[in-house]
Amino acid sequence: MSKIKSLEIKIGLEVHCQLTNLKTKLFCSCSSDYRGKEPNTLICPICMGMPGTLPVLNEKALEDAIMVALALNSKISERMLFFRKNYFYPDMPKNFQISQYDKAGGVPFALGGYIQINGKKVRIRRIQLEEDPGKLSYDGTIESSNHTLVDYNRAGIALIEIVTEPDMETPKEARLFLEKLRSILEHLNVSDGSLEGSMRCDANISLKGGKRVEVKNISSFKEVERALNFEITRQKNLVLRGMVIGQETRHWDETRRITVSLRMKEEEQDYRYFPEPDLVPIIIPRERIKEIEQKMPELPDERRKRFIEQYNLSPQSAEILTRSKAMADFFEESVKIYGNPKEISNWMIGELSSYLNEKSIEIDELTLTSKQLVDLIKLIDEGVISRKMAKSVLQDMLLTGKMAGDIVKEKGLEKILDKEYIGSIVEKILKENPQAVKDAIFDKKAMNYLMGQLMKKTEGKIDPKMASEVLRKRLSELAKFITP
Ligand SMILES: [Zn+2]
């Protein structure tokens, strides 16, 4: 096994993010709101590449891309060129994609930069602006289907492609990188990661001594970790059998959860890139970048630091709470309603996060609102229910969408706080356990047994602090009459 441990893993990502906050496509005025629409209805001669049509760059798309580049610490090119990437595939109505190129005189929209994850910098190689192809759908999988359907509503949607250096060493780091990227894009309000297919990813992975294997078609961030784990195991097994890993492109089959070979190196495609003759080079004025820079919203790293200072949270808590915009927003909304950030953060990081992990969902997919969580926390602070009870109430809230107060009433979970009533239960327990009473008088540890009996009798509803006070007092009174 030592042989495997020494295999140094390098992972690089190529992420495609749709700019979802645009009204129209990248080069025409077709609506970009394509999800759930009748196939092939949001198209025009421009995005279908009819002869004689001319593309016009969406200015807002360029502004959104500038914000992304600034947030990723990248250097924005002064002069930008679009290139045609030529290929024949049914998802491409024009037989070429308007994209960018880093060779043959081409300069991508932005170069360099980084994203910080857990104190580590993952370097960005380049950022490009390009159009999305159409969408192919199959009956089942690509291999089993006997027909392919194509929908061009997505063709021409604005995409940014972010390519990293191979700086990640584990599938988990790759997932953290993608989560951070999503959080940044959502804070910028340029891309909504919760929309189906808005963020897609190809990953390249190499083990020490082996060639680079590219895994294509990973449709969601959740799948990335899975696909990479599969690929690492596959490559390690090859190495163990003494085989050499050659350069290859593989396809992630989401249904079967395996990677399948698409092509080996010798079949590498030639896209015959050349500058798009229908678009002039675009000069990005430095003043415009400065203007945008000044309007930049708060980003996750800044928000994390603010959470530590403003709410007195630990760095770890602030890190978890700012991992997604939805999480950070939920936290701040809750604090606004009820100023107990410590308790709110504890519940979100503890119970809520484990529920989200278990169900593999995001916080904004819950019916639970920040007001509902706060109501639950208030019930604990007011001493109506115990912390332990509150955990089961929260589970009920998540399942039924009911308010905490209603669940507590329905199930009769209120804590027993009536001193007289507590006294009467204590008497009952003392009568039922004469030997334990004797033991408890001379050995303080035996008192725990009686406390346990009290909890059991009241199904955990008795207030432990009050109960132990009453019990202690009664035992000290009884001690006068009993000799060892
Ligand atoms: Zn169009």
Side-chain angles (χ1 to χ4, degrees), residues 25 27-31 42-48 155-156:
K25 294 185 180 180
F27 297 113
C28 64
S29 55
C30 288
S31 167
L42 307 174
I43 53 173
C44 75
I46 297 173
C47 53
M48 291 302 99

Side-chain angles (χ1 to χ4, degrees), residues 89 180 193 289:
Y89 202 64
K180 185 69 172 278
I289 296 174

Side-chain angles (χ1 to χ4, degrees), residues 274-338:
F274 65 84
E276 164 62 67
D278 290 340
L279 285 162
V280 291
I282 288 150
I283 310 295
I284 307 171
R286 298 296 102 176
E287 306 80 63
R288 187 78 194 97
I289 296 174
K290 275 206 188 100
E291 268 173 48
I292 293 172
E293 199 166 16
Q294 277 156 9
K295 288 191 300 188
M296 290 277 278
E298 186 184 42
L299 294 170
D301 281 342
E302 295 158 7
R303 201 170 188 188
R304 191 190 69 231
K305 281 178 202 146
R306 181 167 62 78
F307 276 16
I308 297 172
E309 283 163 22
Q310 188 175 343
Y311 303 118
N312 206 13
L313 298 180
S314 72
Q316 295 91 316
S317 303
E319 168 79 35
I320 298 170
L321 290 174
T322 52
R323 220 170 253 171
S324 81
K325 180 169 186 290
M327 193 85 169
D329 287 348
F330 192 102
F331 171 74
E332 289 214 276
E333 274 163 31
S334 307
V335 174
K336 219 179 263 172
I337 306 171
Y338 188 54

Side-chain angles (χ1 to χ4, degrees), residues 81-97:
L81 265 183
F82 283 102
F83 269 65
R84 284 191 184 179
K85 180 182 182 181
N86 297 280
Y87 67 93
F88 294 92
Y89 202 64
D91 65 359
M92 191 61 74
K94 305 189 275 203
N95 291 334
F96 65 84
Q97 176 190 27

